[in-house]
Amino acid sequence: QVQLVESGGGLVQPGGSLRLSCAASGSIFHSNTMGWYRQAPGKQRELVAVIFTSGSANYADSAKGRFTISRDNAKTTVYLQMNSLKPEDTAVYYCATNRPRAPFSVSTNYWGQGTQVTVSS
């Protein structure tokens, strides 16, 4: 069973920064795609950033230039560094990884419990 535990959310002023962490259990980390989604009230869950086993990453347009995803295979942890935060970044942020032999997909991923990020003055 895979467990994903997020931390690092909180309240930050516009223009500020936060770093989210996601600690993954199990032996799947090294061979799995890892990613961060977010869901704001009344909106669908959306992919923010994804990092592959090669270390290459993709970002949503809204995150490009401001967010950086990284992974530490030794610590089986994935991070999301968020800079220049805006009120519209306010959401619950979820860590995710794909199930064995399944694609990285919102409909089949393993999920963490989520961590709240609130950007407000």
Side-chain angles (χ1 to χ4, degrees):
Q1 183 70 20
V2 173
Q3 284 191 318
L4 303 172
V5 180
E6 301 104 331
S7 60
L11 174 64
V12 64
Q13 292 186 341
S17 298
L18 281 175
R19 189 177 82 153
L20 306 182
S21 299
C22 172
S25 68
S27 61
I28 51 86
F29 186 86
H30 298 82
S31 58
N32 273 39
T33 298
M34 303 294 300
W36 289 94
Y37 288 76
R38 67 186 181 188
Q39 188 166 20
K43 294 188 176 182
Q44 288 189 330
R45 192 167 296 191
E46 63 174 355
L47 180 63
V48 176
V50 59
I51 187 166
F52 304 99
T53 55
S54 64
S56 62
N58 290 334
Y59 297 90
D61 287 344
S62 59
K64 288 178 181 177
R66 300 188 300 125
F67 294 3
T68 302
I69 189 170
S70 60
R71 62 193 296 163
D72 185 331
N73 288 340
K75 296 181 178 179
T76 62
T77 299
V78 62
Y79 304 96
L80 186 67
Q81 177 67 44
M82 303 186 294
N83 299 327
S84 302
L85 283 162
K86 305 175 182 179
E88 51 263 44
D89 293 318
T90 296
V92 177
Y93 284 69
Y94 297 91
C95 178
T97 189
N98 57 289
R99 293 179 182 270
R101 297 174 298 282
F104 187 77
S105 167
V106 68
S107 61
T108 60
N109 283 345
Y110 289 117
W111 298 95
Q113 81 286 356
T115 185
Q116 177 70 46
V117 171
T118 302
V119 184
S120 175
S121 55

